[in-house]
Amino acid sequence: LIPKGMAGFVPLEKKKKKMKFDAVLLDDDSLIEMTWKMSAKEQNKKMLYFSNPNDFFTRTGEISFSSPLFIDSNLGGGVKGEDIAKQAYDIGFKTIYLCTGYDPSDFPPMPWIIKVIGKEPYFLPS
């Protein structure tokens, strides 16, 4: 409780409503981006795309944590999707898929990743 006269000095901040997406894709390959976007449009799905982790982390405050993340294993410049997935998990995202052309057995156990999948738009079939 604060005195009425002090109410004007208390900063108030309106939180932005976080948006729920059918998929949030993080991949540095523009062909993969185009494939996922076309598939999302055909099926009337709501998708968000990022080509680099910095852009993704800049916007995480706008994305509902219940939105599934699909992260490429190799994001270029030596950045591993597995590491980005762990950071995303630590801030609140819990539905995270690692998208790769490698066999799932090539990866160690990663409890923050639900499944290692291919690069096709997995989320879209109804």
Side-chain angles (χ1 to χ4, degrees):
L1 293 174
I2 59 171
K4 188 177 186 178
M6 297 295 294
F9 298 105
V10 177
L12 296 177
E13 191 174 296
K14 182 179 179 183
K15 286 189 175 187
K16 289 183 179 178
K17 183 178 179 186
K18 292 187 173 204
M19 294 190 62
K20 169 86 165 105
F21 293 90
D22 295 304
V24 177
L25 175 65
L26 179 54
D27 195 309
D28 63 334
D29 185 333
S30 59
L31 185 58
I32 297 297
E33 171 194 5
M34 184 177 64
T35 302
W36 279 61
K37 283 183 173 178
M38 283 178 23
S39 189
K41 185 176 180 178
E42 287 172 3
Q43 297 191 33
N44 200 27
K45 300 288 184 175
K46 193 172 176 182
M47 188 190 126
L48 191 57
Y49 167 79
F50 298 97
S51 61
N52 70 67
N54 291 336
D55 291 345
F56 166 70
F57 285 112
T58 299
R59 304 247 333 256
T60 56
E62 304 169 28
I63 305 167
S64 169
F65 288 144
S66 63
S67 299
L69 300 182
F70 297 84
I71 303 176
D72 182 19
S73 176
N74 183 3
L75 293 170
V79 178
K80 302 301 293 174
E82 299 90 301
D83 299 331
I84 301 305
K86 176 67 167 106
Q87 292 174 26
Y89 182 87
D90 288 343
I91 64 171
F93 291 95
K94 301 302 180 208
T95 309
I96 304 172
Y97 297 88
L98 189 65
C99 299
T100 182
Y102 295 109
D103 191 86
S105 65
D106 292 340
F107 297 92
M110 296 175 281
W112 58 92
I113 292 176
I114 291 192
K115 188 175 182 182
V116 177
I117 61 173
K119 291 207 166 198
E120 60 275 358
Y122 246 97
F123 72 105
L124 293 175
S126 298

